[in-house]
Amino acid sequence: MNAVEKLYTAIAQQFPNERITTKQAANIVGLTRGVTSSYLSKLEKQGKLLKTGSRPVYWQIKRESSAFDKLIGSHGSLSADVQHAIEAIVYPVHGLPIFITGPHGTGKLAFAQAIYRESIRRQIFTKEAVFESIDCANYKDRSDTLKKEIQITTQRFTVGKSLKNCYLYIKNLQELSSADQHSLLVQTNQQKDANIRYIFSTVTEKININHEYFNSAAVQINLIPLGNRPLNERITFVAMFLQQQSNQIGREILVSPSEFIKLATLNHSDNIRGLNNRIQLLCAETYAKTPTTNQLVISKSTKNSISIMPNQHLLQTCITTLITSALQLSPTVDSLFNKLSDSLLCGETITEQNFLVLKVLNQIDTTISKSLLEAFAKTIEQDSNKYITHQYGINFPKDNTFWRNVALAFIFSNLCSDNLPMSETTHKLQAAIKNCYPRSHYLFQKFLTKLTPQYAQDAYYYLPFFILMAQCEDKIESVHYNAILLAHGENTASSIQQVVNTLTGNYFFEAFDMPIDISLDKINSYVQNYLVNQDSSPKGNIILFDMGSLRQMFREIKKISKQELLVVNNVTTAMALDIGLRIQRNEAFQSIAEASQKYSLTTDAQYYEGLSNQKNIIVACMSGVGLSEELKKLIESTLSPSLKVIALDYKKLHALLKNHDRQFFSNTQLILTTTDVNGDMGIDIMNIYNIFDKSTSIRLQTVLLNAGENERSSNLLIDRLLKFLSIEGIRGRLQILNPDVVIQESQAIVSHYEDFYNVKFTPRLKLNLYMHLSLMFERMIMNSKKSKSVIKRTPLTDQEQDFFSLSSGIFQPVERKFNIKVQDYEIELLYQLLKDFIFID
């Protein structure tokens, strides 16, 4: 499949029945607009796409014409009915019976004939198939005669050489009694002729259509009255009937816009048939007055009169012009958009923009069916509650007038979208809304996408923004943070979002429910797209997620936005609610960040780049985090609180030094370890045992003074560290073992290493070894049930193999005495501590 075919397939899958712009098509496949435009043009030449409009150009999948296309509203108010009819036509083996209901004059016969023609077009029936009609009104109280007539009719097409396909249309079923209806339906169901299909019609929905009369389900289609049809459809009917009259009399017909709208909005007692009769009589009346003129002027002629010429073959194309002229859409909309843009540019409130839109809506109010408008208003209210109130906590007025105006704004937007080209002004208005009301714009855009994805791409559909969001814009825009919930699972994040936003009564959190196996790149794309659509927040971004690497998440999101960023893991509803309330109180970023670090032992938070956002000392001892924590407590109790002490696992320190640059350690003043560590980042790294050397203790004092400590606290720390590292210090830290015994065993082990490798360790190294071994033995006894990772012997060097073999023998006496087993993990740590002293070139 080449690139052009891939583009067509993508459009067919995502927008099978909708018009899209070149930009939308480019976004689908991730191509540039120029390349996509050339591909779309190729698809148009291949007959696969339809191209309409100019600014912008619209593209739509080209479908094979159906018999229903000639019905006005087939892609509008009748679209669902058409789909049901097609389902009945194609269902194997012999289709399904069809019931068409609707008041007199709603087009039931025309719809039934379209079903018949579509069956032929789809080659389900042959071209010789016929359409026969039987009117039950002619057989009222004569059901036996009706049954015979049906039987005779069916036999004409099912017996002998006359065998043909037939759609038998039985109309006005309501004229029969319930018993006769029952009898008729049973009769037709029992005639199992493969080439006869039935369509029934009635003027009332209340008729008892019992599907048990049929071998399979029956399809019911309900045609609504003309007055409930959308305005553009009613205008199209007026245009069609005027065109028919122009063709019949061979004259141009001129009709004023007001008269045109009057014809489209009058309640005709006989619906479509009544409208046609009204137009015929109007034309006849006018013709009688001016039989010799070349023009037929309906009502008064004006400079804006709509002209309908005889035998126009492009009636559907002309409908757009007719609607636009009738409603004076173009000048009205141009003026409205210019006024709205000026208002937004001047910084006026949304109340002013709301007034401008309502003023225009009042002009078209009389053109809308009251019942249609009420039904649509109810639908919009339900959708708003479902897609905005439920998830984002934004409540709207219960006032019927409010929802009526919102619905009217959507109807007006639909008229504009269908009948006016996009202009530079319309696109600028959408950008101005986003600039002035970023959070409200985001919510409204999400709402449009839920209604119909096409709406969010069409600037005309942003007119209802000024009606719907006028009631809540101030509250929504008062939020100064972008807050996001990320969680794995179908509804985890959205459930927390719904609870928090509802309880706080405002849009604080957006939520993304993620697949279990999602990658960090994909998570990052969620956040990036949100921040782009939402725009920058005055105070920063807050990300709450359920699991994953905190620092990696922080680092990746920080690349997207340079704003303040807080990332918190292991999110809970209580945590999100607390942060939501703090956002509601408009707390400072630092305050929210610090509070997030105190939620629970399983929760961690990061809101700064690097290891810490304040001056710090890192402590990492090879003997384990326990020793590091003790040193941390000692330092914290001696120095001022302004200098943070961070205890790290020894291996983790090595990994951080290897994988990060100086920026990560920008606030680190000093790293204290129990063995030598290489580092070339310009950070002071000291072996804690070197403070027995005067030069190192002076160096330590200098570092502390430069970090803001006074001379007294610096000297006191050095004194406490010297004591901590002495034999007495070891005694004080042993909790269960006899200090004299364990230190004696440690001294013996150190002597064995000196004898075997023929070296003499320095007093400082010996002290380090005594401490390491003594604390190791006690730790192993206390954690005897916890296993350590085993070092595989095979990849070890000869020197390492010798060390492991020697150590196994050296530790046997102490293992028996303390009933422990020294793991390879511990021997490997000891090797790292001694290798530079026992293997000397």
PDB file of all heavy atoms in Angstrom, residues 592-608:
ATOM      1  N   ILE A 592       2.359  24.023  47.620  1.00  0.00           N
ATOM      2  CA  ILE A 592       1.743  22.779  47.143  1.00  0.00           C
ATOM      3  C   ILE A 592       2.797  21.693  46.998  1.00  0.00           C
ATOM      4  O   ILE A 592       2.572  20.529  47.360  1.00  0.00           O
ATOM      5  CB  ILE A 592       1.019  23.018  45.797  1.00  0.00           C
ATOM      6  CG1 ILE A 592      -0.122  24.026  45.977  1.00  0.00           C
ATOM      7  CG2 ILE A 592       0.488  21.714  45.233  1.00  0.00           C
ATOM      8  CD1 ILE A 592      -0.831  24.395  44.686  1.00  0.00           C
ATOM      9  N   ALA A 593       3.970  22.067  46.487  1.00  0.00           N
ATOM     10  CA  ALA A 593       5.043  21.093  46.281  1.00  0.00           C
ATOM     11  C   ALA A 593       5.510  20.488  47.601  1.00  0.00           C
ATOM     12  O   ALA A 593       5.698  19.276  47.722  1.00  0.00           O
ATOM     13  CB  ALA A 593       6.203  21.754  45.550  1.00  0.00           C
ATOM     14  N   GLU A 594       5.700  21.329  48.603  1.00  0.00           N
ATOM     15  CA  GLU A 594       6.170  20.841  49.906  1.00  0.00           C
ATOM     16  C   GLU A 594       5.117  19.956  50.566  1.00  0.00           C
ATOM     17  O   GLU A 594       5.440  18.937  51.198  1.00  0.00           O
ATOM     18  CB  GLU A 594       6.528  22.021  50.801  1.00  0.00           C
ATOM     19  CG  GLU A 594       7.795  22.752  50.336  1.00  0.00           C
ATOM     20  CD  GLU A 594       8.079  23.996  51.158  1.00  0.00           C
ATOM     21  OE1 GLU A 594       7.241  24.337  52.020  1.00  0.00           O
ATOM     22  OE2 GLU A 594       9.126  24.635  50.921  1.00  0.00           O
ATOM     23  N   ALA A 595       3.840  20.320  50.416  1.00  0.00           N
ATOM     24  CA  ALA A 595       2.768  19.513  50.998  1.00  0.00           C
ATOM     25  C   ALA A 595       2.707  18.139  50.337  1.00  0.00           C
ATOM     26  O   ALA A 595       2.395  17.136  50.986  1.00  0.00           O
ATOM     27  CB  ALA A 595       1.428  20.233  50.836  1.00  0.00           C
ATOM     28  N   SER A 596       3.027  18.063  49.058  1.00  0.00           N
ATOM     29  CA  SER A 596       2.935  16.798  48.329  1.00  0.00           C
ATOM     30  C   SER A 596       3.966  15.780  48.794  1.00  0.00           C
ATOM     31  O   SER A 596       3.828  14.581  48.528  1.00  0.00           O
ATOM     32  CB  SER A 596       3.104  17.041  46.825  1.00  0.00           C
ATOM     33  OG  SER A 596       4.430  17.442  46.526  1.00  0.00           O
ATOM     34  N   GLN A 597       5.001  16.237  49.484  1.00  0.00           N
ATOM     35  CA  GLN A 597       6.041  15.327  49.963  1.00  0.00           C
ATOM     36  C   GLN A 597       5.659  14.651  51.284  1.00  0.00           C
ATOM     37  O   GLN A 597       6.411  13.826  51.806  1.00  0.00           O
ATOM     38  CB  GLN A 597       7.359  16.087  50.132  1.00  0.00           C
ATOM     39  CG  GLN A 597       7.927  16.596  48.800  1.00  0.00           C
ATOM     40  CD  GLN A 597       9.265  17.274  48.970  1.00  0.00           C
ATOM     41  OE1 GLN A 597       9.421  18.142  49.834  1.00  0.00           O
ATOM     42  NE2 GLN A 597      10.230  16.892  48.158  1.00  0.00           N
ATOM     43  N   LYS A 598       4.496  14.970  51.810  1.00  0.00           N
ATOM     44  CA  LYS A 598       4.119  14.464  53.135  1.00  0.00           C
ATOM     45  C   LYS A 598       2.860  13.597  53.104  1.00  0.00           C
ATOM     46  O   LYS A 598       2.262  13.336  54.135  1.00  0.00           O
ATOM     47  CB  LYS A 598       3.887  15.649  54.084  1.00  0.00           C
ATOM     48  CG  LYS A 598       5.103  16.570  54.202  1.00  0.00           C
ATOM     49  CD  LYS A 598       4.764  17.811  55.003  1.00  0.00           C
ATOM     50  CE  LYS A 598       5.954  18.779  55.052  1.00  0.00           C
ATOM     51  NZ  LYS A 598       5.615  20.030  55.766  1.00  0.00           N
ATOM     52  N   TYR A 599       2.456  13.129  51.915  1.00  0.00           N
ATOM     53  CA  TYR A 599       1.197  12.391  51.836  1.00  0.00           C
ATOM     54  C   TYR A 599       1.283  11.014  52.480  1.00  0.00           C
ATOM     55  O   TYR A 599       0.432  10.624  53.253  1.00  0.00           O
ATOM     56  CB  TYR A 599       0.726  12.283  50.383  1.00  0.00           C
ATOM     57  CG  TYR A 599       0.207  13.580  49.844  1.00  0.00           C
ATOM     58  CD1 TYR A 599       0.732  14.137  48.677  1.00  0.00           C
ATOM     59  CD2 TYR A 599      -0.806  14.273  50.509  1.00  0.00           C
ATOM     60  CE1 TYR A 599       0.261  15.341  48.177  1.00  0.00           C
ATOM     61  CE2 TYR A 599      -1.280  15.481  50.023  1.00  0.00           C
ATOM     62  CZ  TYR A 599      -0.739  16.009  48.864  1.00  0.00           C
ATOM     63  OH  TYR A 599      -1.206  17.200  48.393  1.00  0.00           O
ATOM     64  N   SER A 600       2.296  10.225  52.119  1.00  0.00           N
ATOM     65  CA  SER A 600       2.432   8.889  52.715  1.00  0.00           C
ATOM     66  C   SER A 600       3.834   8.377  52.466  1.00  0.00           C
ATOM     67  O   SER A 600       4.604   8.958  51.702  1.00  0.00           O
ATOM     68  CB  SER A 600       1.403   7.923  52.103  1.00  0.00           C
ATOM     69  OG  SER A 600       1.793   7.567  50.789  1.00  0.00           O
ATOM     70  N   LEU A 601       4.154   7.253  53.101  1.00  0.00           N
ATOM     71  CA  LEU A 601       5.481   6.664  52.947  1.00  0.00           C
ATOM     72  C   LEU A 601       5.691   6.135  51.542  1.00  0.00           C
ATOM     73  O   LEU A 601       6.835   6.011  51.080  1.00  0.00           O
ATOM     74  CB  LEU A 601       5.659   5.529  53.971  1.00  0.00           C
ATOM     75  CG  LEU A 601       5.670   5.951  55.448  1.00  0.00           C
ATOM     76  CD1 LEU A 601       5.748   4.716  56.339  1.00  0.00           C
ATOM     77  CD2 LEU A 601       6.826   6.903  55.747  1.00  0.00           C
ATOM     78  N   THR A 602       4.622   5.790  50.831  1.00  0.00           N
ATOM     79  CA  THR A 602       4.753   5.225  49.487  1.00  0.00           C
ATOM     80  C   THR A 602       4.729   6.292  48.398  1.00  0.00           C
ATOM     81  O   THR A 602       4.887   5.989  47.224  1.00  0.00           O
ATOM     82  CB  THR A 602       3.607   4.233  49.213  1.00  0.00           C
ATOM     83  OG1 THR A 602       2.355   4.917  49.319  1.00  0.00           O
ATOM     84  CG2 THR A 602       3.658   3.078  50.195  1.00  0.00           C
ATOM     85  N   THR A 603       4.509   7.532  48.800  1.00  0.00           N
ATOM     86  CA  THR A 603       4.416   8.623  47.829  1.00  0.00           C
ATOM     87  C   THR A 603       5.722   9.405  47.783  1.00  0.00           C
ATOM     88  O   THR A 603       6.326   9.681  48.810  1.00  0.00           O
ATOM     89  CB  THR A 603       3.263   9.580  48.203  1.00  0.00           C
ATOM     90  OG1 THR A 603       2.040   8.851  48.167  1.00  0.00           O
ATOM     91  CG2 THR A 603       3.189  10.734  47.217  1.00  0.00           C
ATOM     92  N   ASP A 604       6.132   9.751  46.572  1.00  0.00           N
ATOM     93  CA  ASP A 604       7.312  10.592  46.400  1.00  0.00           C
ATOM     94  C   ASP A 604       6.938  11.734  45.475  1.00  0.00           C
ATOM     95  O   ASP A 604       5.985  11.633  44.697  1.00  0.00           O
ATOM     96  CB  ASP A 604       8.470   9.777  45.812  1.00  0.00           C
ATOM     97  CG  ASP A 604       9.817  10.471  46.058  1.00  0.00           C
ATOM     98  OD1 ASP A 604       9.825  11.542  46.705  1.00  0.00           O
ATOM     99  OD2 ASP A 604      10.845   9.946  45.602  1.00  0.00           O
ATOM    100  N   ALA A 605       7.669  12.815  45.574  1.00  0.00           N
ATOM    101  CA  ALA A 605       7.369  13.978  44.745  1.00  0.00           C
ATOM    102  C   ALA A 605       8.661  14.651  44.313  1.00  0.00           C
ATOM    103  O   ALA A 605       9.671  14.602  45.010  1.00  0.00           O
ATOM    104  CB  ALA A 605       6.498  14.979  45.523  1.00  0.00           C
ATOM    105  N   GLN A 606       8.614  15.267  43.149  1.00  0.00           N
ATOM    106  CA  GLN A 606       9.762  16.037  42.673  1.00  0.00           C
ATOM    107  C   GLN A 606       9.248  17.320  42.027  1.00  0.00           C
ATOM    108  O   GLN A 606       8.310  17.293  41.240  1.00  0.00           O
ATOM    109  CB  GLN A 606      10.586  15.246  41.650  1.00  0.00           C
ATOM    110  CG  GLN A 606      11.842  15.990  41.206  1.00  0.00           C
ATOM    111  CD  GLN A 606      12.768  15.142  40.356  1.00  0.00           C
ATOM    112  OE1 GLN A 606      12.584  13.944  40.229  1.00  0.00           O
ATOM    113  NE2 GLN A 606      13.769  15.770  39.776  1.00  0.00           N
ATOM    114  N   TYR A 607       9.866  18.399  42.393  1.00  0.00           N
ATOM    115  CA  TYR A 607       9.446  19.676  41.822  1.00  0.00           C
ATOM    116  C   TYR A 607      10.641  20.562  41.472  1.00  0.00           C
ATOM    117  O   TYR A 607      10.506  21.770  41.342  1.00  0.00           O
ATOM    118  CB  TYR A 607       8.491  20.413  42.768  1.00  0.00           C
ATOM    119  CG  TYR A 607       9.038  20.701  44.156  1.00  0.00           C
ATOM    120  CD1 TYR A 607       9.616  21.935  44.464  1.00  0.00           C
ATOM    121  CD2 TYR A 607       8.963  19.748  45.162  1.00  0.00           C
ATOM    122  CE1 TYR A 607      10.102  22.202  45.729  1.00  0.00           C
ATOM    123  CE2 TYR A 607       9.440  20.010  46.427  1.00  0.00           C
ATOM    124  CZ  TYR A 607      10.016  21.235  46.712  1.00  0.00           C
ATOM    125  OH  TYR A 607      10.501  21.497  47.972  1.00  0.00           O
ATOM    126  N   TYR A 608      11.781  19.957  41.327  1.00  0.00           N
ATOM    127  CA  TYR A 608      12.986  20.703  40.958  1.00  0.00           C
ATOM    128  C   TYR A 608      13.877  19.791  40.143  1.00  0.00           C
ATOM    129  O   TYR A 608      13.773  18.566  40.190  1.00  0.00           O
ATOM    130  CB  TYR A 608      13.735  21.179  42.207  1.00  0.00           C
ATOM    131  CG  TYR A 608      13.910  20.083  43.234  1.00  0.00           C
ATOM    132  CD1 TYR A 608      14.920  19.121  43.123  1.00  0.00           C
ATOM    133  CD2 TYR A 608      13.038  19.989  44.316  1.00  0.00           C
ATOM    134  CE1 TYR A 608      15.050  18.110  44.047  1.00  0.00           C
ATOM    135  CE2 TYR A 608      13.162  18.964  45.250  1.00  0.00           C
ATOM    136  CZ  TYR A 608      14.178  18.039  45.106  1.00  0.00           C
ATOM    137  OH  TYR A 608      14.308  17.030  46.023  1.00  0.00           O
TER     138      TYR A 608
END
